[in-house]
Amino acid sequence: MTRGCGRARAGLLGVAAAVTLVAGAAQPAAPLLPQEERVPGGVAIVPLEGDAAQAPRVTFEERRVLVLRIAERWLAVVGVPLSQLPGHASVRVETGAQAGNTLGFEVTDKQYTVQRLTVAPRQVDLSPTDLARYQRERPRILKDEAVYSPTLPATLRLLQPVPGIRTSSFGSRRVFNNEARSPHGGMDIAAAAGTPVVAAAVGRVLDTGNFFFNGNTVFIDHGAGLITMYCHLSAISVRPGERVTAGSVIGKVGATGRVTGPHLHFGVALNGVYVDPALFLAPPPAAAGGSNDGGR
């Protein structure tokens, strides 16, 4: 799967469903914000100073950040990459013609699961042909993940795209034959092959395709740097440029790509980095461990 495939929770979690998202003008009412967790792979909700009528321009590590207004105050909703070191971090804020200022926040550590496995080398190392394919596909995937469109998302709380148990925790890392692999950049949801997969929120289909690790994949742009990704599909039922509504079918669960069994890999990117999808979803009915992503 392409990856990039202590907690701090703000009082903003209690904001009622009448919250309004604003980008220079009022937007439709939206549900709660995502849960805040200022850790690598988490989300930081940073209040911005001042009362400018227009949304400030905010960047984090040179990437544009989602900014919205709640109760007369601008907030930056920042995706923190899994590679972020614990400690001080900062966003750059530009208001009107004023030069950018920095605004800091603290990132605390979080220990994700590590699995150490010994397997035959051929099960881990890519052949020259497979490696070449992966290298060809990688720029396209990175481009999709980093899209920032000006329209705000209709909501920052997402639907679970397929019913089922979440079988792999975001951020878990596998070490094959003493060689660390990239951390798991999404959420695996167990489901039978052919189960319909739905869009997590209203948006525009950004890209579809078949990739070495991801298999059949759909990317959806929800606006302002919020992108969702749906991998290993057996079938894709949407086209790039198509508008989708929350809950509309976009494909079916499958086992395409480099996997060991049918399931959905669901990824959520914010300002170009993958963050924990669980922060955008309702809590699961039950927790589970394991993964169906083969050798990733």
Side-chain angles (χ1 to χ4, degrees):
M1 165 57 65
T2 304
R3 305 296 188 239
C5 261
R7 303 185 176 184
R9 296 187 182 273
L12 292 167
L13 302 185
V15 177
V19 165
T20 299
L21 304 186
V22 180
Q27 299 290 316
L32 300 174
L33 292 166
Q35 298 177 54
E36 182 179 42
E37 192 172 24
R38 294 184 176 186
V39 300
V43 174
I45 300 175
V46 182
L48 304 177
E49 299 173 354
D51 56 357
Q54 295 296 318
R57 188 181 192 277
V58 179
T59 55
F60 180 63
E61 301 296 335
E62 306 300 325
R63 295 179 180 269
R64 186 80 177 269
V65 169
L66 188 158
V67 175
L68 55 85
R69 192 168 187 169
I70 294 179
E72 305 303 318
R73 190 169 197 180
W74 293 107
L75 303 173
V77 184
V78 185
V80 183
L82 275 165
S83 59
Q84 183 76 31
L85 295 176
H88 189 73
S90 62
V91 294
R92 187 171 182 82
V93 183
E94 299 178 13
T95 304
Q98 295 184 7
N101 298 315
T102 58
L103 185 62
F105 62 96
E106 296 301 313
V107 176
T108 57
D109 195 15
K110 180 172 182 176
Q111 297 299 314
Y112 291 102
T113 302
V114 177
Q115 232 183 344
R116 298 183 182 275
L117 302 171
T118 300
V119 299
R122 61 180 175 79
Q123 293 180 276
V124 180
D125 299 323
L126 299 186
S127 69
T129 299
D130 290 340
L131 179 59
R133 179 184 173 187
Y134 166 74
Q135 291 173 336
R136 288 195 306 269
E137 295 171 347
R138 182 65 174 153
R140 175 179 170 186
I141 292 171
L142 288 173
K143 182 179 178 180
D144 288 338
E145 296 166 355
V147 165
Y148 183 98
S149 53
T151 303
L152 279 174
T155 178
L156 294 177
R157 281 297 179 96
L158 305 176
L159 300 177
Q160 183 168 315
V162 67
I165 296 174
R166 303 170 189 176
T167 59
S168 179
S169 65
F170 171 87
S172 61
R173 182 185 295 272
R174 283 182 169 183
V175 179
F176 289 97
N177 304 341
N178 294 320
E179 183 179 344
R181 298 290 167 168
S182 297
H184 193 240
M187 170 188 290
D188 285 347
I189 305 173
T195 304
V197 176
V198 304
V202 63
R204 177 180 65 89
V205 178
L206 184 62
D207 195 7
T208 66
N210 180 273
F211 304 94
F212 177 74
F213 281 117
N214 297 4
N216 293 327
T217 301
V218 174
F219 293 89
I220 298 179
D221 174 17
H222 303 284
L226 178 62
I227 308 291
T228 53
M229 178 178 69
Y230 313 75
C231 301
H232 310 310
L233 304 176
S234 61
I236 295 174
S237 56
V238 290
R239 298 177 180 178
E242 183 175 339
R243 295 288 301 179
V244 293
T245 58
S248 61
V249 175
I250 60 171
K252 296 180 180 180
V253 171
T256 57
R258 197 171 187 183
V259 294
T260 58
H263 70 286
L264 176 71
H265 175 97
F266 176 52
V268 176
L270 192 60
N271 50 265
V273 300
Y274 283 106
V275 294
D276 189 352
L279 301 177
F280 295 78
L281 302 175
S291 175
N292 291 315
D293 284 337
R296 300 190 304 163

